[in-house]
Amino acid sequence: AIEPEESGGGSVQTGGSLRLSCYASGFPGTNSDAGWYRQTPTNECELVASISSLKTMYYLDSVKGRFTISKGDARNQIFLQMNDLRPEDTARYYCAADGPLLPRITCAYAPYRLNTWGRGIQVTVSS
């Protein structure tokens, strides 16, 4: 499995913005969907956003209109721009690719189902 490099997390107040970055091989452009998951309080991972090799995008309903996923100029980069952050967005976010990006997966099994899975990066939104 490939462990990508994730960055851009941190702590912000409600209404703030953060931009997550992910660098790894196996991203869109190599016939691979890529996206971001976040860990829920029940230790499941929910798909927040994804982008296909054809630039088709998916967003979790609760983040539509606030988050934007994009590809970098290089083939091995994806980004997640998060605006108007809310306390319920607080979670550990994981970069994922090269495998089935299901709406929900068990976080512990993710590294075995996806060839690219990050260590995660913390996003904390305070009220």
Side-chain angles (χ1 to χ4, degrees):
I2 297 169
E3 190 174 285
E5 180 182 336
E6 301 155 314
S7 62
S11 298
V12 296
Q13 292 188 324
T14 297
S17 297
L18 287 171
R19 187 180 192 230
L20 304 184
S21 301
C22 183
Y23 298 82
S25 61
F27 276 179
T30 59
N31 299 319
S32 171
D33 294 354
W36 293 91
Y37 281 86
R38 67 187 181 189
Q39 191 165 5
T40 69
T42 58
N43 287 327
E44 280 196 309
C45 277
E46 61 182 2
L47 184 62
V48 176
S50 68
I51 185 166
S52 74
S53 57
L54 299 177
K55 294 189 178 180
T56 301
M57 288 171 275
Y58 160 89
Y59 293 100
L60 185 67
D61 282 347
S62 62
V63 308
K64 285 179 181 177
R66 300 188 297 122
F67 291 12
T68 303
I69 190 168
S70 60
K71 297 165 55 177
D73 292 336
R75 290 169 59 188
N76 60 346
Q77 303 174 354
I78 62 167
F79 305 100
L80 185 67
Q81 178 66 43
M82 305 186 294
N83 298 329
D84 189 24
L85 282 161
R86 305 167 181 171
E88 54 264 37
D89 295 318
T90 295
R92 193 163 186 85
Y93 286 70
Y94 296 86
C95 179
D98 200 12
L101 299 184
L102 302 176
R104 274 187 176 252
I105 58 176
T106 301
C107 299
Y109 298 154
Y112 304 101
R113 296 190 173 184
L114 297 160
N115 288 333
T116 299
W117 182 261
R119 292 189 176 187
I121 190 164
Q122 184 66 33
V123 171
T124 302
V125 185
S126 58
S127 58

